[in-house]
Amino acid sequence: MDRYASQLETLAHNGNLRRLPEMEPQGLYLVRDGVSMLNLSSNDYLGLADNVALKSEFLQTLNPQTCRFSSTSSRLLTGNYPAYTRLEKRLAQLYGAESALVFNSGYHANSGILPAVTNNRSLILADKLVHASIVDGIGLSKARCIRYRHNNYEQLERLVAENADQYERIFIVTESIFSMDGDESDLPRLVTLKRQYPQVYLYLDEAHAFGVRGELGLGCAEEQGVVGDIDFLVGTFGKAAASMGAFVICSETMKQYLVNTMRPLIFTTALPPVNLEWTLFIVNKICNMQKRREHLAQIGRRVREALNPLNGGIVSSSHIIPYVLGESERAVEVALRLQHEGFYLLPVRPPTVPRGTSRLRISLNAECSDSDIDRLITTLQHIQSSL
Ligand code: PMP
């Protein structure tokens, strides 16, 4: 027991101890210890999670006979309710793709797809900043993996050229909008690279872009017209889509291959049918939410312009805006100051981000009004000038 306790003490000493917070989200706000704060830490980018009109409309479609809160078994046994088929068909249709496959979460998707599709004759080339769920998938894979420097395409192109003859398949793995830095991949450049090599596959995690980018809200690949070139396009429903679960857009052969080989799909209870129904309901609504997406983009631009341009060398281009503070203790202190001013912002520390880049992750929500953003900017500028 001593070892565990002393490890916790070390974490606390370095300002890196985490605790499960007691709080209650209420729409755009969050209440903690009786104090209400503007919630700028959730991934509810379109502000739909607590939208009463949407929830009421959805609830009217339910009745006790048809409404199910558990699937009671895995998809391959009796859990594959018709709502799965309808959701997957709709996703494939929206993306103009052959197939979609739905999972319980983005963590399931990312930790399961790579181990299933790679072997010891595969090479994974992954961006240095890919999400922990992808890192865990890489860890479970038998493939060799090289992490390339963040968004460094010269290095990536060199690695592909050097290794192309030595591996049966090469998987380039990245995110479209990066979860912690809020910057983006150059998708056309990745597609150009992939097209030069028949053995190269593109794996793109759009967790933070689904719902937010593109005319229909399908993500950055839609926005940039490259959906057809992405072999594994992963999206999640737990962020802008205000639900739970995830999906991959892929070929029908790949879908059937994953159904037969992917352990986090096979060995887990399927999602509750009511959850799948809600996801389908929301996905259909999101297609028409261009106004929310435009507002989110506009407030994102305003907050980015207000922050110190140096910002630890990190340049966000999205609604996720890191405010880099360096050491963890400093990030904790500034987070507390902002909370005191009514903004629920949290410190993001190692190991989630590299040492020395502890930060606040400002995660904007399309429900924020222009005056909310005015107040945020004034407070941030005041804090920046006092540091
Ligand atoms: N991918 C990325 C880029 C993420 O940021 C996250 C969660 N924060 C996930 C995948 C995991 O998705 P989920 O929360 O649905 O497990």
Side-chain angles (χ1 to χ4, degrees):
M1 196 60 205
D2 279 357
R3 180 166 72 79
Y4 304 125
S6 75
Q7 210 160 321
L8 287 174
E9 267 173 33
T10 309
L11 286 172
H13 180 75
N14 297 332
N16 287 331
L17 185 69
R18 297 156 184 232
R19 284 191 191 281
L20 294 172
E22 302 285 338
M23 40 93 221
E24 190 189 335
Q26 285 183 356
L28 186 55
Y29 292 83
L30 179 144
V31 180
R32 207 186 59 190
D33 300 330
V35 179
S36 178
M37 293 174 268
L38 189 69
N39 184 356
L40 296 175
S41 290
S42 89
N43 298 319
D44 182 18
Y45 303 131
L46 292 176
L48 305 180
D50 218 2
N51 184 308
V52 175
L54 281 179
K55 287 192 287 185
S56 308
E57 190 184 331
F58 175 68
L59 286 173
Q60 280 164 18
T61 68
L62 303 180
N63 68 61
Q65 271 73 45
T66 57
C67 178
R68 287 196 170 84
F69 298 107
S70 170
S71 67
T72 72
S73 117
S74 74
R75 290 190 70 179
L76 285 161
L77 296 176
T78 65
N80 197 38
Y81 280 84
Y84 266 114
T85 311
R86 283 189 278 118
L87 177 57
E88 288 175 346
K89 272 203 169 134
R90 179 66 176 140
L91 287 166
Q93 180 199 33
L94 283 169
Y95 280 91
E98 256 178 48
S99 290
L101 183 60
V102 168
F103 309 102
N104 289 20
S105 73
Y107 192 89
H108 285 74
N110 284 337
S111 62
I113 296 174
L114 285 172
V117 300
T118 56
N119 58 25
N120 58 10
R121 296 182 303 283
S122 315
L123 174 66
I124 297 172
L125 298 174
D127 189 285
K128 189 80 187 146
L129 294 191
V130 290
H131 188 256
S133 53
I134 297 177
V135 174
D136 288 359
I138 292 170
L140 291 167
S141 149
K142 295 197 170 57
R144 176 168 177 232
C145 174
I146 303 174
R147 306 283 295 274
Y148 60 91
R149 285 189 292 281
H150 178 49
N151 274 348
N152 188 323
Y153 300 113
E154 288 79 25
Q155 187 194 9
L156 177 62
E157 285 157 5
R158 209 171 48 246
L159 285 169
V160 173
E162 282 167 12
N163 289 288
D165 295 339
Q166 296 172 46
Y167 291 90
E168 208 173 85
R169 293 189 177 83
I170 296 180
F171 295 81
I172 297 176
V173 182
T174 191
E175 293 174 27
S176 56
I177 295 178
F178 283 85
S179 59
M180 289 298 143
D181 286 13
D183 58 351
E184 294 172 47
S185 295
D186 182 344
L187 298 183
R189 185 154 177 185
L190 289 171
V191 166
T192 304
L193 174 60
K194 171 211 146 111
R195 284 187 180 163
Q196 293 168 36
Y197 298 90
Q199 66 274 52
V200 169
Y201 293 75
L202 278 184
Y203 184 116
L204 183 67
D205 183 336
E206 295 248 42
H208 297 277
F210 182 69
V212 169
R213 290 294 184 85
E215 183 60 21
L216 298 174
L218 303 177
C220 294
E222 185 215 355
E223 182 183 53
Q224 292 166 44
V226 297
V227 168
D229 287 291
I230 313 293
D231 301 285
F232 302 88
L233 190 158
V234 172
T236 62
F237 299 129
K239 304 184 195 301
S243 184
M244 181 69 203
F247 65 90
V248 64
I249 299 295
C250 59
S251 68
E252 176 60 19
T253 305
M254 184 51 70
K255 173 174 177 171
Q256 296 311 325
Y257 180 81
L258 291 172
V259 166
N260 282 276
T261 56
M262 186 179 150
R263 296 173 70 85
L265 178 94
I266 299 170
F267 297 109
T268 195
T269 300
L271 284 167
V274 69
N275 169 265
L276 296 161
E277 299 284 4
W278 166 249
T279 302
L280 180 55
F281 173 86
I282 285 283
V283 165
N284 283 326
K285 296 285 181 193
I286 280 180
C287 294
N288 300 314
M289 289 191 177
Q290 290 85 0
K291 285 234 150 48
R292 275 181 194 258
R293 285 189 273 283
E294 278 163 26
H295 179 63
L296 186 65
Q298 186 237 331
I299 59 179
R301 269 193 298 276
R302 288 192 58 206
V303 176
R304 290 196 306 270
E305 280 163 15
L307 279 180
N308 180 343
L310 294 178
N311 206 27
I314 295 173
V315 187
S316 159
S317 52
S318 70
H319 55 291
I320 298 169
I321 305 166
Y323 174 17
V324 179
L325 289 150
E327 293 312 312
S328 297
E329 291 88 343
R330 199 155 174 234
V332 172
E333 179 204 317
V334 175
L336 289 175
R337 276 176 75 180
L338 277 151
Q339 288 174 21
H340 185 72
E341 298 291 336
F343 300 100
Y344 192 65
L345 281 162
L346 294 170
V348 184
R349 296 165 275 180
T352 308
V353 293
R355 202 161 289 287
T357 72
S358 288
R359 64 194 67 183
L360 307 188
R361 176 179 180 270
I362 305 171
S363 176
L364 294 175
N365 178 319
E367 283 283 309
C368 289
S369 65
D370 287 326
S371 65
D372 291 327
I373 299 301
D374 290 342
R375 214 162 52 79
L376 172 67
I377 288 175
T378 310
T379 311
L380 284 172
Q381 285 175 336
H382 181 70
I383 287 178
Q384 281 188 127
S385 63
S386 73
L387 286 176

